[in-house]
């Protein structure tokens, strides 16, 4: 393993980019050189990294000379435009956008589940959708125990999923309401403060949103289960940075809550927080800033045989984005 | 039909009680005399009704002399203690608590669905749980079209479900956060501002909460479907007064979105708000203060045959409580 990697972070000044830098530092990723990249608007800003201030450079097709690993989190358009240049320059791209996720030649990886897929990359590895990551972190250990067939799920997604703009929108609207002013909207089509919006990402012809169908398609690819089914309603809620998902899951084999807990306890990256007698269950407020996802409220589903219902929460900016991306980069560094 | 009914409202100063008085006035309920009742603490306060200020009286066993209809919304304990006295005095009790809902001798009524059940009352008629009412308002017309078997549902429940105290808790916490002060908790076991809590009502031995199982048992009784199944996760969200529910429903017969919409359009008390091309779907903020529930996001469920997924929203204080109670009282007045 090389210890002097040159790592570029594309979208370094965004909500996920900032978490990426912090995560690289916290996990002692073996960086010899860090190059934060962003749009011309952000170039020249400095970002803290290992006690230094590092200047943000403008992203261009020439940004990737000598870069070993490029972490992209600046939206699908930027990834489509610049990832080929990064690969051309010899970098391995770990992309947090949806641009390449369903491309057959691109591994889609949650390292706790399918780290081995990293080895078959052809220059680009995709980081899954945030609510999908959090859901499969709970679902996969249960799948290994019981064999998952399908899920019915509803999400409670934080505004951080829309980046720094989403966080700013909720804060601003709360302030406007507090001061009795008219509520302004820039990011969401409706007020998000003191409201919930059953609308994340664009609507598709089948009536589901793109975000909802990602849970179907990306979960299949990550878990290697082409027949997996999911009916999901994705909902934006006025929470700042962790996503919660309520899941009813149907399995092939008979289930038990005790064995489900054992499976979770043996699984990496997810903690059991399930003691309802003392009001213990995962909360987005408490998961914010935490690397591990949390699962609780595990119970036998009362509307299906071989079913379990549960509640899983994970920090959208960390396991849902920056942390998972850095974990993939760690797998790349091992190759 | 008598036009000079003497109506008592028990819990008149609570969040639901206040809505009951407004609803009685708005619907021109045929009241000759109104008696607002509450605890000794609230006695002597006045409440506005038809342009007058009416003094709140202390609730005692002697409060019901001459009362024709008593609307109770002061919690299950008060209902159990005082409803028998009201019935003894000759009043018909419409009870918004859970005290008598599952009693075989007590009709449990959503007038749009089972108004006829009112006629078999023996002194008490129960008003269902708020999230159950909103859910069945959408589900029953679809059941009539396709025959419902089971649902998987997740709720997004407003703090008004915990009464005026819940509303005050969210407001206070937002203010405390805004001022950088420590967040205080009185109603909920965890902070509700900028958080979601998968915990409404008490936990039962099967791992579900009482609120979640109400959706099973009360829906069966209201719709007259003893085999109906429901797996529900009830979640409190930082919204002030309307409940939202994401539902995946399985039916006996083949479904179509078009026929589902026709069924909804023909049903009383629920409006179709389902034009995703213009970001049209029900929102709790817009349903607040509205009598009718709204349904949207109707789509063929992609994880089951004969399934529909949808999103339904209703004002918890109105259709979820005060309005439905007054509608039941209107049915009583017709007897």
């Amino acid at each position: 393993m090389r210890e002097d990697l040159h790592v570029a972070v594309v979208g370094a000044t965004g909500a996920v980019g900032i978490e990426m830098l912090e995560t690289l530092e916290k996990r002692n990723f073996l960086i010899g050189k860090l190059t934060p990249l962003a749009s011309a608007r952000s170039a020249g800003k400095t970002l803290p990294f290992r006690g230094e201030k590092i200047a943000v450079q403008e992203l261009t097709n020439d940004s990737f000379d000598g870069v070993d690993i490029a972490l992209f989190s600046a939206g699908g358009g930027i990834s489509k435009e610049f990832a080929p240049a990064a690969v051309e320059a010899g970098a391995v791209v770990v992309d947090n956008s949806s641009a390449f996720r369903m491309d057959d030649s691109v591994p889609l990886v949650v390292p706790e589940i399918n780290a081995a897929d990293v080895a078959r990359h052809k220059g680009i590895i995709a980081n899954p959708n945030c609510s999908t990551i959090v859901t499969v972190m709970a679902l996969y250990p249960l799948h290994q125990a019981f064999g998952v067939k399908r899920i019915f799920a509803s999400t409670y997604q934080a505004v951080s999923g829309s980046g720094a703009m989403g966080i700013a929108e909720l804060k601003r609207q709360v302030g406007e309401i507090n001061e009795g002013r008219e509520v302004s909207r820039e990011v969401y089509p409706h007020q998000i403060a003191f409201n919930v919006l059953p609308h994340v990402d664009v609507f598709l012809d089948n009536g589901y949103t793109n975000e909802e169908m990602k849970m179907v398609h990306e979960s299949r690819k990550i878990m290697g289960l082409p027949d997996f089914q999911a009916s999901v309603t994705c909902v934006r809620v006025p929470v700042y940075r962790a996503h919660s998902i309520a899941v009813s899951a149907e399995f092939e084999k008979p289930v038990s809550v005790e064995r489900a807990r054992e499976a979770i306890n043996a699984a990496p990256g997810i903690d059991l927080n399930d003691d309802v007698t003392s009001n213990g269950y995962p909360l987005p407020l408490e998961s914010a800033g935490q690397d591990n996802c949390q699962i609780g409220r595990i119970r036998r589903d009362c509307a299906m045989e071989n079913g379990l219902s549960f509640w899983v929460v994970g920090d959208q900016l960390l396991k849902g984005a920056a942390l998972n991306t850095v974990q993939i980069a760690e797998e790349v560094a091992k190759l």
Side-chain angles (χ1 to χ4, degrees), chain A:
Chain A
M1 194 188 300
R2 286 178 52 194
E3 302 205 350
D4 59 346
L5 293 165
H6 181 179
V7 174
V9 173
V10 178
T13 56
V16 173
I18 287 167
E19 296 295 331
M20 281 181 176
L21 264 61
E22 287 188 11
T23 301
L24 288 165
E25 180 169 338
K26 193 169 65 178
R27 294 175 73 90
N28 292 311
F29 194 80
L30 305 169
I31 295 181
K33 183 178 177 186
L34 178 78
T35 301
L37 298 166
S39 65
R41 192 164 35 95
S42 294
K45 284 185 186 172
T46 62
L47 293 171
F49 186 70
R50 291 185 187 163
E52 291 177 57
K53 288 189 171 179
I54 304 191
V56 176
Q57 298 178 29
E58 182 182 352
L59 171 66
T60 72
N61 276 320
D62 301 326
S63 298
F64 301 98
D65 275 357
V67 168
D68 298 296
I69 299 177
L71 311 181
F72 273 69
S73 189
I78 296 292
S79 292
K80 278 183 185 154
E81 187 176 351
F82 293 98
V87 173
E88 182 75 18
V92 177
V93 168
V94 187
D95 182 29
N96 189 44
S97 85
S98 63
F100 306 106
R101 285 179 192 151
M102 297 314 298
D103 186 325
D104 283 341
S105 69
V106 173
L108 182 67
V109 176
V110 177
E112 290 86 346
I113 297 174
N114 62 334
D117 286 355
V118 168
R120 61 174 185 77
H121 80 81
K122 293 181 169 55
I124 301 176
I125 300 156
N127 192 65
N129 173 257
C130 47
S131 52
T132 300
I133 294 178
V134 176
T135 303
V136 296
M137 283 297 292
L139 194 59
Y140 191 71
L142 302 176
H143 162 66
Q144 290 181 298
F146 310 118
V148 72
K149 290 168 67 178
R150 61 177 170 174
I151 63 169
F152 301 93
S154 302
T155 73
Y156 301 70
Q157 296 185 229
V159 292
S160 62
S162 312
M165 295 274 286
I167 296 169
E169 177 116 330
L170 175 56
K171 275 202 179 127
R172 191 189 65 249
Q173 290 183 348
V174 170
E176 287 164 347
I177 292 163
N178 190 46
E179 293 163 19
R181 288 187 285 136
E182 198 180 343
V183 171
S184 61
R185 296 192 312 269
E186 293 175 11
V187 178
Y188 302 114
H190 306 280
Q191 177 181 322
I192 183 62
F194 310 111
N195 205 8
V196 301
L197 314 183
H199 180 183
V200 180
D201 206 337
V202 297
F203 287 101
L204 306 177
D205 286 344
N206 68 353
Y208 285 86
T209 62
N210 196 35
E211 181 89 355
E212 289 161 357
M213 294 312 291
K214 286 173 187 170
M215 194 84 92
V216 181
H217 301 303
E218 296 188 15
S219 298
R220 286 177 180 167
K221 184 168 175 177
I222 297 162
M223 298 195 292
L225 295 173
D227 298 327
F228 172 76
Q229 290 184 295
S231 177
V232 184
T233 302
C234 286
V235 181
R236 189 75 65 193
V237 298
V239 163
Y240 280 109
R241 65 175 278 170
H243 286 359
S244 310
I245 304 104
V247 182
S248 281
E250 187 176 35
F251 298 92
E252 301 280 356
K253 299 178 199 164
V255 297
S256 86
V257 170
E258 192 184 344
R259 286 175 53 220
R261 288 180 170 174
E262 288 168 6
I264 293 295
N265 279 328
I270 182 153
D271 297 330
L272 186 69
N273 178 356
D274 194 10
D275 180 10
V276 297
T277 57
S278 63
N279 300 324
Y281 34 73
L283 296 171
L285 203 62
E286 292 179 0
S287 281
Q290 302 295 315
D291 282 354
N292 280 9
C293 297
Q294 292 187 18
I295 184 174
R297 301 235 33 218
I298 302 177
R299 56 208 192 272
R300 289 186 78 95
D301 193 279
C302 68
M304 57 185 160
E305 188 128 9
N306 300 346
L308 289 170
S309 281
F310 58 87
W311 172 256
V312 58
V313 180
D315 186 306
Q316 184 273 323
L317 292 174
L318 292 176
K319 188 58 189 172
L323 171 61
N324 199 71
T325 301
V326 172
Q327 288 177 298
I328 294 171
E330 290 170 350
E331 297 298 322
V332 172
K334 288 182 199 164
L335 292 178

